[in-house]
Amino acid sequence: MNKNWLLCICNVFLLTFCACAENGNRATIEHPSQETVMNQEYFYVTAGDKTFQAEFADNSSAEAFKALLEKGNITVTMEDYGNFEKVGNLGISLPRNDTRITTGPGDIILYQGNSITIYYDTNTWNFTQLGKIPGATREHLLSVLGKGTVTVTFSLSTLE
């Protein structure tokens, strides 16, 4: 029985590793060279040569996202959707804390547990907030994120 249980755990690990290693539109994780602190209140959002500092939301989803960032930077290919957000697949599911909210520029949202969005305009729906870029405006976000596809890296420290 113990050997079967161990085999099952190894299979789950192997499947998870293979799923995360697959490229495509899934996120890639890079391990940082410096240690980070679990009680950190901020994370960073980098597109091109511009970096925004974002505040973590206060919920278990944001804590799970923070724990994921502790393992390394997350790079996501994001695309425009609905002329109000950039969205990309995380490649992993996080716990959801959906509530009906109206988003605004700078809101970073977990959608359906496995997609991450950066809002540059408003939308009302049942979402889970992961964080917020304070003071962000539609114009500034769009000047950095551009139209179409963009590669965005989420991290606990600024990229060098």
Side-chain angles (χ1 to χ4, degrees), residues 72-92:
N73 301 341
I74 300 170
T75 301
V76 181
T77 301
M78 304 182 84
E79 298 179 13
D80 287 303
Y81 179 80
N83 201 29
F84 50 78
E85 70 180 336
K86 293 284 189 179
V87 63
N89 187 339
L90 275 173
I92 190 169

Side-chain angles (χ1 to χ4, degrees), residues 34-154:
Q34 61 186 12
E35 286 191 28
T36 54
V37 182
M38 273 307 282
N39 64 359
Q40 184 168 342
E41 297 176 27
Y42 300 99
F43 62 102
Y44 298 90
V45 180
T46 303
D49 62 350
K50 301 291 184 194
T51 299
F52 299 100
Q53 185 179 53
E55 300 171 342
F56 280 107
D58 185 17
N59 60 47
S60 63
S61 303
E63 288 297 322
F65 185 55
K66 186 187 302 184
L68 189 60
L69 290 174
E70 283 285 331
K71 296 176 184 176
N73 301 341
I74 300 170
T75 301
V76 181
T77 301
M78 304 182 84
E79 298 179 13
D80 287 303
Y81 179 80
N83 201 29
F84 50 78
E85 70 180 336
K86 293 284 189 179
V87 63
N89 187 339
L90 275 173
I92 190 169
S93 290
L94 298 176
R96 294 167 65 172
N97 287 285
D98 291 346
T99 57
R100 187 159 185 86
I101 60 174
T102 298
T103 62
D107 282 330
I108 300 169
I109 302 292
L110 177 68
Y111 179 66
Q112 294 185 344
N114 62 1
S115 293
I116 191 164
T117 62
I118 302 172
Y119 276 82
Y120 51 84
D121 212 330
T122 60
N123 186 30
T124 302
W125 198 257
N126 291 330
F127 294 124
T128 298
Q129 188 163 21
L130 294 176
K132 174 131 182 112
I133 300 168
T137 65
R138 174 184 170 89
E139 293 75 22
H140 188 223
L141 287 171
L142 284 175
S143 72
V144 172
L145 299 174
K147 294 274 185 192
T149 302
V150 64
T151 300
V152 177
T153 300
F154 299 89

